[in-house]
Amino acid sequence: KQEVTQIPAALSVPEGENLVLNCSFTDSAIYNLQWFRQDPGKGLTSLLLIQSSQREQTSGRLNASLDKSSGRSTLYIAASQPGDSATYLCAVPSGGSYIPTFGRGTSLIVHP
Amino acid sequence: NAGVTQTPKFQVLKTGQSMTLQCAQDMNHNSMYWYRQDPGMGLRLIYYSASEGTTDKGEVPNGYNVSRLNKREFSLRLESAAPSQTSVYFCASSDRGRETQYFGPGTRLLVL
């Protein structure tokens, strides 16, 4: 069974900092990996989807990397803003399945 | 284009009551999912439907039933609600099961 761990569980940074969120998983036979954002009281919004054949994906100030062999992914947020405050979740399918297992998320606060 | 919609947004039930949570998507997706989200437990899969006419159990199916009514709609039924089913329920959909998941806004359920 896939196990997904996200570190740190919580993070508080001043506006403008570059930051890295980490996701590790135990089963590296995966089809893809997704990063989501969840605002308080809201549903999840997909940020980036990395296919197993890719090493990274970029969207605006966000960059996600994938290292299947080591079972790790990172989400890099450049020049953080207060509007980036949210919980970020990593989702990884188990080997041979497309059903994702979710990490417990990193709660990010960016203060002005 | 509404994406994934869920009804109701909030519900309070008494122990033993039944109810159905409704989910619909307008993106012509084949796969649909029901998750529950609890503090400290993350998102856990209850049931999923890979395609119209099929449903399968997820990680925590006990106490729930589902119906894939057609390609658009996937409902979750609690036959006899218990306090342990107090949670936030999310419906999601994806195309071909391997691509980005799109989430609804959630249903907040309190069972007294």
Side-chain angles (χ1 to χ4, degrees):
Chain A
K1 178 186 172 187
Q2 183 74 274
E3 294 182 8
V4 181
T5 303
Q6 291 188 245
I7 295 174
L11 188 60
S12 180
V13 299
E15 182 176 6
E17 274 204 7
N18 301 324
L19 52 98
V20 175
L21 309 183
N22 296 292
C23 172
S24 62
F25 47 94
T26 54
D27 185 345
S28 60
I30 62 173
Y31 290 122
N32 56 42
L33 181 146
Q34 278 192 257
W35 283 94
F36 290 88
R37 169 185 173 136
Q38 186 176 27
D39 293 289
K42 305 291 186 181
L44 280 69
T45 301
S46 180
L47 296 174
L48 290 164
L49 172 73
I50 310 177
Q51 300 292 353
S52 60
S53 58
Q54 298 175 313
R55 295 299 299 267
E56 64 179 56
Q57 278 280 1
T58 298
S59 176
R61 295 182 293 107
L62 305 179
N63 177 277
S65 67
L66 173 62
D67 184 344
K68 279 179 54 178
S69 61
S70 66
R72 294 180 183 177
S73 176
T74 61
L75 179 66
Y76 176 81
I77 303 177
S80 58
Q81 303 171 357
D84 295 329
S85 298
T87 297
Y88 292 81
L89 297 105
C90 171
V92 193
S94 297
S97 166
Y98 61 85
I99 306 296
T101 297
F102 284 80
R104 296 186 180 184
T106 294
S107 177
L108 173 65
I109 296 175
V110 182
H111 49 86
Chain B
N1 191 340
V4 180
T5 57
Q6 293 183 235
T7 56
K9 288 185 170 54
F10 303 98
Q11 186 71 49
V12 179
L13 290 178
K14 294 181 180 179
T15 297
Q17 288 185 319
S18 63
M19 77 162 295
T20 300
L21 282 64
Q22 306 285 355
C23 173
Q25 52 90 9
D26 62 3
M27 295 172 282
N28 201 35
H29 285 168
N30 289 309
S31 300
M32 298 185 74
Y33 314 81
W34 277 106
Y35 293 92
R36 60 178 289 173
Q37 187 175 38
D38 303 289
M41 299 294 293
L43 271 161
R44 293 180 291 171
L45 183 67
I46 304 171
Y47 272 93
Y48 66 99
S49 172
S51 61
E52 186 179 356
T54 68
T55 61
D56 286 287
K57 295 178 180 179
E59 182 183 354
V60 288
N62 291 345
Y64 306 95
N65 286 302
V66 290
S67 295
R68 184 75 183 266
L69 304 172
N70 47 56
K71 192 170 186 180
R72 291 187 65 248
E73 299 172 288
F74 189 36
S75 63
L76 179 71
R77 182 160 178 84
L78 286 69
E79 291 291 350
S80 179
S84 61
Q85 294 178 303
T86 293
S87 187
V88 181
Y89 292 85
F90 288 102
C91 177
S93 70
S94 67
D95 195 19
R96 300 192 302 274
R98 297 188 182 189
E99 301 300 328
T100 299
Q101 282 192 322
Y102 295 86
F103 279 76
T107 294
R108 284 147 188 80
L109 176 66
L110 174 63
V111 183
L112 301 175

